[in-house]
Amino acid sequence: MQGMFVVGGESLIDLVPVAAGADAERVALAGGSPFNCAIALAKLGNDAGFLCPISQDAHGELLLAPLAEAGVSILLGERVAAPTTRAIVTFNEKMQASYIFERGADRAFSREGLLAALPEAVQLYQIGGFCPILAEDAAIWTDVVAAAAGRGAVISIDINVREKLIEDEKGYRSRLSGFLDSAHIIKLSEEDHAWLEPGRSIEDHAADLLRRRHCRLVVVTLGEAGSLAFSRRAKGQAPIYAPPVFGDTVGAGDSLMAGILTWLAEHDALRPAELGELGSEQLHAMLRFGAVVAGINCGRKGCNPPTRAEVDIVLGQ
C-alpha cells in the first residue's frame, strides 16, 4: 500500500542558549521530535504529513515556516488559541541537550478533529513521544493509531522518554506499553533503555520488544557509539557519520528515524512481514543511511535535516 507518512504528536519552540551559562541569552527555534521527523521525512523525498495543532501566536508562525519550506502537509489547518508549547534547553559539555517543558498548543486537540484529519491512505503512522504522558491524551491518540492501523499503515514509535514531564510513572509505563503493543517499528535511545529497563542488557530489552504482538524491528541509538537494529531474524549495527564540522545533536535521533523509514520504504521493506525478515547486512545498510542523515544534521546548529541529494553525496564518497 502506498500513502502518506503521517507523524502525530508534539511541536514546540526550543529556547536555546547562545552561550554557556544559566543566564545566557536564548534564541527561539522550531522543534519537537515528531515535528523534526516530519520535516526530515519530507526533505528526504517522502509525502509527509504532520498531525499536531499549531497556535495562532507568533511562535506558531515560527513552526509553520519550516514545515512549509520542507513541503510537509499540515493536517490540522485551523490554528488554535492555546500558546505554543515551549522547551527550555540546556547543553552539557558534549553539547547534548536536556529540556524543561511548558505545554500548550500541542494538547489543544479533540478526538474528532484528529480522526477527521487523518488521511485515508496512510503508508506509515509514527507515534510521538509525548502521546503516553497524560491519560486523557493517550486515550485519544490510541484511537488515532487504531484508525491508521485499520487503514493498513505500518506503525512506528520513537519512545523519547521525557522524565521531567512524567508525574505518574506507573501510569506512563502502562500507557507506553499499550502504544508499544501497536507498533511494528520501535526506536529508543540508550538513555530511554536505561530509564525503562535499568540493569538489563539492550539485547534482552530488544528481544522482549520483539516478542510483542506486532513488533518486527527495534532500533537503539547509542550516541557516539552509533546504533543497533534487531529484526526477528538478525542483528545489525553501524557507526555514526561524523560531519566535517560539528554543530550540536538537536534533532539527531529524529533525523536518523526519518532516514531509517525512508530506507525501508525505498527497499520495499516497510511492511510487517518484510521488516521481521531483515538480515544483518540490510540492517547495517539501513542504519548507515540513517546515520548519514543524522550526521549531516549534527553538522548544523539546531535541527536542520539534509535533503536527499545531500545524503546521496555523502553515501557516494
Side-chain angles (χ1 to χ4, degrees), residues 68-116:
E69 184 180 354
V72 177
S73 296
I74 298 155
L75 299 176
L76 290 170
E78 188 172 341
R79 307 270 291 274
V80 298
T84 298
T85 295
R86 306 195 313 165
I88 296 119
V89 183
T90 55
F91 291 114
N92 66 14
E93 66 279 359
K94 292 184 177 180
M95 291 302 290
Q96 294 168 323
S98 61
Y99 305 84
I100 296 172
F101 297 94
E102 298 172 354
R103 297 188 70 180
D106 80 288
R107 298 192 60 225
F109 52 74
S110 68
R111 176 181 277 101
E112 295 74 19
L114 292 179
L115 290 172

Side-chain angles (χ1 to χ4, degrees), residues 97-231:
S98 61
Y99 305 84
I100 296 172
F101 297 94
E102 298 172 354
R103 297 188 70 180
D106 80 288
R107 298 192 60 225
F109 52 74
S110 68
R111 176 181 277 101
E112 295 74 19
L114 292 179
L115 290 172
L118 188 69
E120 281 302 314
V122 187
Q123 185 178 9
L124 174 117
Y125 182 88
Q126 176 144 310
I127 302 164
F130 280 18
C131 295
I133 289 172
L134 295 170
E136 57 269 34
D137 294 356
I140 294 172
W141 285 116
T142 296
D143 288 350
V144 176
V145 174
R151 296 171 196 185
V154 167
I155 306 298
S156 62
I157 183 169
D158 189 347
I159 293 178
N160 226 345
V161 174
R162 297 300 193 190
E163 187 174 2
K164 290 179 180 177
L165 279 174
I166 298 168
E167 297 179 357
D168 167 21
E169 181 178 331
K170 182 179 178 182
Y172 170 80
R173 286 178 177 271
S174 175
R175 293 186 290 272
L176 175 61
S177 182
F179 285 116
L180 295 177
D181 279 340
S182 298
H184 302 98
I185 303 169
I186 298 173
K187 175 185 168 289
L188 64 159
S189 66
E190 59 183 343
E191 293 86 3
D192 295 330
H193 161 72
W195 189 88
L196 290 165
E197 296 285 350
R200 294 193 69 203
S201 72
I202 287 172
E203 288 76 8
D204 285 349
H205 189 186
D208 278 353
L209 292 171
L210 286 164
R211 280 190 282 268
R212 289 178 180 264
R213 180 181 174 192
H214 293 295
C215 184
R216 300 293 187 273
L217 176 65
V218 175
V219 174
V220 186
T221 57
L222 307 172
E224 294 176 354
S227 55
L228 297 170
F230 304 84
S231 71

